[in-house]
Amino acid sequence: MALTQVAYALTTGVEAADADILKSDTADTLTAGFDVTTFDAGTKSSGTFTPAPASGNIQKAVNGGAFTLAPPASDCAMIVQITNNASAGAVTTSGYTKVEGAFTTTNGHDFLAYITRVNGFTFLSIKALQ
């Protein structure tokens, strides 16, 4: 970056042009992988858990009691790890177009919930990790 670009960015608060910046309205190709920070959605013990893609595409939650797992409100693909604790309850699914697999309530059991929403269709694939 040229010195004049740096000076402009510092004085105007505008970032200088950079071909490596991804933009939400411009197609691009990623040429390297990236790390993510898993979003901790906490312990679910009642009510409805609706994962939000704005919290991250990789999330985790603890099954600490019976709750309902609902699909996200917008198109996305995400993975939610669900870990049962000693108080685990039945996980009900609601609002999905199709669901494959099932959760148990056994303490210590872990699951990956693969959630996809496209054009109003929702798919949940539950994979046991034990």
Side-chain angles (χ1 to χ4, degrees):
M1 185 181 311
L3 184 56
T4 55
Q5 289 176 311
V6 172
Y8 178 76
L10 291 174
T11 59
T12 63
V14 177
E15 186 169 355
D18 184 340
D20 290 333
I21 295 176
L22 292 176
K23 299 177 182 149
S24 64
D25 63 347
T26 304
D28 206 342
T29 301
L30 296 175
T31 58
F34 56 93
D35 295 328
V36 300
T37 299
T38 301
F39 174 76
D40 189 345
T43 299
K44 306 302 175 189
S45 57
S46 65
T48 300
F49 172 38
T50 304
S55 297
N57 297 93
I58 308 293
Q59 301 186 21
K60 66 179 179 176
V62 174
N63 176 356
F67 69 95
T68 299
L69 179 62
S74 59
D75 287 358
C76 66
M78 59 185 355
I79 303 169
V80 180
Q81 177 193 359
I82 297 179
T83 301
N84 292 345
N85 70 15
S87 301
V91 178
T92 304
T93 59
S94 177
Y96 290 92
T97 306
K98 182 158 179 78
V99 176
E100 283 183 348
F103 296 102
T104 69
T105 57
T106 304
N107 185 26
H109 279 192
D110 283 285
F111 304 86
L112 290 180
Y114 296 92
I115 302 170
T116 306
R117 179 184 170 121
V118 178
N119 197 29
F121 290 98
T122 53
F123 175 63
L124 169 63
S125 177
I126 303 161
K127 298 296 181 184
L129 297 176
Q130 52 282 326

